[in-house]
Amino acid sequence: MMSCDMISVLAIYIIIMKKIVVFGECMLEFAPMASQQYQRGIAGDVYNTSVYLQRLATELAQVSLLTALGRDAVSYNMLSQFQAEQLNTDYVYRHPARTVGAYLIDVDSEGERSFTYWRGQAAARETFALVSDKQLSQLIEHTDIFYFSGISIAILAQSDRERFWQFVEQLAAAGKQIVFDTNFRPQLWPDKVLAQQAFQRALKLSTTVFAGVEDLEQLAMGECFNSVAMSLKDYAIDELVIKHGEHGVQVIEGEKSQFIAIEPVANIVDTTSAGDSFNAGYLYARLAGSSASSSVNFASLLASHVIQHRGAIIATEDFAPIQASLNTLMQG
């Protein structure tokens, strides 16, 4: 029988556990190895964030994926990998005819990467065609934080996108925290005007925004810290995190604005997932009660480790010592 003190601790633990739902696409990743060989893995912008966030925040949150896979062997293998990362897969839907997308990474001598995609057959594009109204209502009830990106919006068929917006509007009306990453891929949009309209709608609904200067510059929404801040000042964003690569990060909360410098990384191997892992580290640190500046420092350190490895996701066994050092930083 548990003591009163143990029951109290358990009750507090249950109360503070956050239910985080991440929407988007996970794909097969072919990352370059030695001698023109490629290693197969799985990745995708929001998936990368969800993996690192779940690894870090096991005691603070349960991360769920909202996406769709096929019914083929590749999809079943991907689902098994989701579960191996301790991600909740209750909201992973199965498409009867589609499968998963794929991409191949090429990395130059500076560690910068370029991608070749095959994603037209991806089941994730029709996620919101597979979810019933009842399931969406239950999902709203069981969500504390909803995370999505510019890529998440872009992959949806135009006919399903409006249903997605209705869902996000319901989340906002229910007072949920909505986190948007301005990850912009121009090749996924038929024209820039449609992308601008979608991003504006996302910004109106979001409480926390990770704004990449390079993303928004392509959408004529700013080309530096000041211009991005001015461009987004009329949106009701509680926490705006403006990221500008090695130039640093600016965090704006209401009337408070602060700039945090980023320490450059000398040994860059592969920048894949740099921004995705940064977002995970920042969200985790904020969940743990850290200040905005401390959260940026923590997130930057995580991203610095990620870009010194090949591929988007560091292997679990290789990540363990990194996580131990990150935990030491957090406790300090």
Side-chain angles (χ1 to χ4, degrees):
M1 181 178 296
M2 290 190 296
S3 68
C4 292
D5 288 342
M6 291 176 64
I7 294 173
S8 297
V9 170
L10 179 60
I12 293 171
Y13 178 75
I14 293 172
I15 290 171
I16 65 172
M17 283 288 287
K18 293 290 186 179
K19 297 183 285 293
I20 303 174
V21 175
V22 177
F23 166 63
E25 178 185 20
C26 185
M27 295 176 286
L28 287 178
E29 175 194 75
F30 294 91
M33 303 299 287
S35 304
Q36 296 297 308
Q37 296 180 340
Y38 290 84
Q39 176 175 292
R40 192 179 89 167
I42 65 173
D45 67 329
V46 298
Y47 175 72
N48 304 338
T49 298
S50 69
V51 167
Y52 287 117
L53 183 54
Q54 183 61 62
R55 287 181 181 182
L56 293 167
T58 303
E59 297 181 358
L60 294 176
Q62 173 63 65
V63 181
S64 302
L65 288 176
L66 172 59
T67 191
L69 303 175
R71 297 184 181 277
D72 56 300
V74 173
S75 295
Y76 277 103
N77 179 264
M78 186 175 284
L79 182 65
S80 296
Q81 290 181 263
F82 294 171
Q83 293 166 343
E85 289 289 354
Q86 299 183 356
L87 296 168
N88 179 35
T89 58
D90 290 350
Y91 312 124
V92 177
Y93 297 93
R94 314 306 292 272
H95 195 286
R98 288 178 174 266
T99 181
V100 301
Y103 69 95
L104 182 147
I105 305 171
D106 280 311
V107 181
D108 65 19
S109 59
E110 302 298 321
E112 287 299 327
R113 73 273 195 236
S114 59
F115 302 90
T116 303
Y117 291 97
W118 298 271
R119 69 197 319 164
Q121 77 280 17
R125 299 170 68 92
E126 297 189 12
T127 301
F128 279 82
L130 298 171
V131 189
S132 69
D133 290 338
K134 181 179 179 180
Q135 288 169 324
L136 286 179
S137 295
Q138 292 173 339
L139 185 54
I140 292 168
E141 182 181 349
H142 294 98
T143 299
D144 295 314
I145 301 171
F146 180 69
Y147 181 101
F148 69 109
S149 73
I151 295 177
S152 304
I153 312 167
I155 65 168
L156 289 171
Q158 187 61 34
S159 56
D160 293 333
R161 200 172 290 154
E162 189 56 41
R163 193 156 186 254
F164 166 79
W165 289 126
Q166 292 172 2
F167 169 67
V168 181
E169 287 168 356
Q170 290 175 312
L171 284 167
K176 309 297 184 176
Q177 181 180 351
I178 299 172
V179 183
F180 175 54
D181 173 23
T182 64
N183 211 345
F184 176 61
R185 296 290 183 270
Q187 65 270 29
L188 295 179
W189 296 91
D191 61 72
K192 186 178 290 187
V193 173
L194 184 63
Q196 289 170 326
Q197 292 171 345
F199 273 58
Q200 289 164 359
R201 196 163 183 179
L203 291 165
K204 287 178 181 178
L205 293 167
S206 300
T207 56
T208 301
V209 173
F210 292 103
V213 172
E214 291 182 4
D215 296 324
L216 296 183
E217 184 176 10
Q218 296 179 79
L219 292 167
M221 300 176 74
E223 65 283 338
C224 65
F225 289 115
N226 289 339
S227 59
V228 168
M230 287 297 295
S231 179
L232 304 187
K233 69 180 179 62
D234 292 331
Y235 294 99
I237 300 168
D238 295 335
E239 191 165 356
L240 175 60
V241 183
I242 305 175
K243 303 188 296 183
H244 198 2
E246 71 277 8
H247 301 294
V249 176
Q250 183 178 2
V251 180
I252 302 174
E253 302 172 86
E255 298 299 317
K256 181 182 178 182
S257 176
Q258 56 183 320
F259 171 80
I260 301 97
I262 299 298
E263 186 174 341
V265 177
N267 181 36
I268 298 176
V269 175
D270 182 352
T271 58
T272 305
S273 192
D276 308 330
S277 58
F278 176 95
N279 295 357
Y282 186 89
L283 289 173
Y284 163 66
R286 292 300 262 165
L287 283 174
S290 294
S291 66
S293 59
S294 294
S295 297
V296 168
N297 290 330
F298 181 90
S300 299
L301 182 58
L302 171 60
S304 73
H305 284 291
V306 171
I307 64 177
Q308 293 179 74
H309 291 75
R310 294 193 182 277
I313 307 293
I314 299 175
T316 305
E317 59 274 18
D318 295 331
F319 189 72
I322 295 171
Q323 185 166 359
S325 66
L326 289 169
N327 288 339
T328 300
L329 173 66
M330 181 65 70
Q331 293 165 4

